[in-house]
Amino acid sequence: QKEVEQNSGPLSVPEGAIASLNCTYSDRGSQSFFWYRQYSGKSPELIMFIYSNGDKEDGRFTAQLNKASQYVSLLIRDSQPSDSATYLCAVNSENNAGNMLTFGGGTRLMVKP
Amino acid sequence: DAGVTQSPTHLIKTRGQQVTLRCSPKSGHDTVSWYQQALGQGPQFIFQYYEEEERQRGNFPDRFSGHQFPNYSSELNVNALLLGDSALYLCASSPDSGGGNEQFFGPGTRLTVL
């Protein structure tokens, strides 16, 4: 059973702080890793993806991947109240048949003004 | 550039009925995946369609079936609805997988089974 684990939260941070969201996965064959943001009542929105070990930065977001530890994280710098949402970690379990995504349960982030 | 579209937005059915949900992929995308998201949980993979065939399937019963049309749009059919089928149904499109291609979600269809 391929699993993706996230702390459900809520993770509460003050405005302007760094929010750190973490995710672990069980399938060592996983190749691609995604972070989606989901506002209440809306569908998931892709915000970051990472394929190689190390860091990948895009604006205020940094994704970090450590395949040896089966760990992926998302850092949000200068957190804003508009960042308050549920963040979903997803892992691409690619095989010859397709590229299904396995999702964690999500971490709810609350940024307080 | 139109994104992924889904219809209808909301749907209310009773137990035992059948439902069809529709999805049009993002322009340039030919692969469509369907996910079910129960309240408070992450999305769960139902199946994926490519070249009008089901290419991969998650752990869902045969009551869940689908179809992909030549224009890459897709339908999800659920027969003999159960109360537990109440969820947000999400369609995601992507280019044909060559390794980790990103999937983009539509707005979803909220299904309520009474």
Side-chain angles (χ1 to χ4, degrees), chain A residues 17-70:
Chain A
I18 296 175
S20 178
L21 305 163
N22 304 314
C23 171
T24 59
Y25 60 95
S26 63
D27 181 12
R28 285 196 171 274
S30 300
Q31 299 181 3
S32 307
F33 307 85
F34 305 87
W35 283 99
Y36 287 84
R37 177 176 62 198
Q38 187 172 27
Y39 293 112
S40 181
K42 301 296 186 182
S43 65
E45 174 193 7
L46 180 65
I47 54 173
M48 287 287 291
F49 56 90
I50 186 167
Y51 302 147
S52 304
N53 275 330
D55 295 359
K56 179 182 179 182
E57 186 174 319
D58 184 1
R60 295 187 296 114
F61 298 99
T62 298
Q64 299 175 317
L65 174 61
N66 184 328
K67 288 187 177 181
S69 300
Q70 295 174 246

Side-chain angles (χ1 to χ4, degrees), chain A residues 98-112:
Chain A
N99 62 340
M100 64 174 282
L101 290 178
T102 301
F103 282 84
T107 298
R108 184 179 165 209
L109 173 66
M110 298 174 60
V111 181
K112 296 187 175 181

Side-chain angles (χ1 to χ4, degrees), chain A residues 31-32 34 36 38 41-46 49 51 88 92-106, chain B residues 31 33 35 37 40-43 45 48 55-56 88 90 94-95 97-108 110:
Chain A
Q31 299 181 3
S32 307
F34 305 87
Y36 287 84
Q38 187 172 27
K42 301 296 186 182
S43 65
E45 174 193 7
L46 180 65
F49 56 90
Y51 302 147
L88 296 163
N92 184 331
S93 302
E94 185 178 357
N95 54 38
N96 289 333
N99 62 340
M100 64 174 282
L101 290 178
T102 301
F103 282 84
Chain B
T31 302
S33 303
Y35 294 82
Q37 187 177 25
Q41 299 182 20
F45 177 77
Q48 183 178 86
R55 179 160 68 174
Q56 194 174 12
L88 179 66
L90 296 161
S94 58
S97 66
N101 283 311
E102 305 88 79
Q103 295 187 22
F104 297 89
F105 284 91
R110 174 75 61 186

Side-chain angles (χ1 to χ4, degrees), chain B residues 60-112:
Chain B
F60 278 81
D62 292 344
R63 297 187 298 110
F64 290 78
S65 64
H67 189 77
Q68 186 178 35
F69 299 93
N71 67 352
Y72 309 124
S73 66
S74 178
E75 290 182 348
L76 164 65
N77 301 291
V78 187
N79 293 322
L81 285 167
L82 304 174
L83 295 179
D85 295 332
S86 295
L88 179 66
Y89 287 85
L90 296 161
C91 169
S93 75
S94 58
D96 178 29
S97 66
N101 283 311
E102 305 88 79
Q103 295 187 22
F104 297 89
F105 284 91
T109 294
R110 174 75 61 186
L111 173 64
T112 302

Side-chain angles (χ1 to χ4, degrees), chain B residues 36-47:
Chain B
Q36 179 196 66
Q37 187 177 25
L39 197 62
Q41 299 182 20
Q44 285 195 298
F45 177 77
I46 302 174
F47 42 53

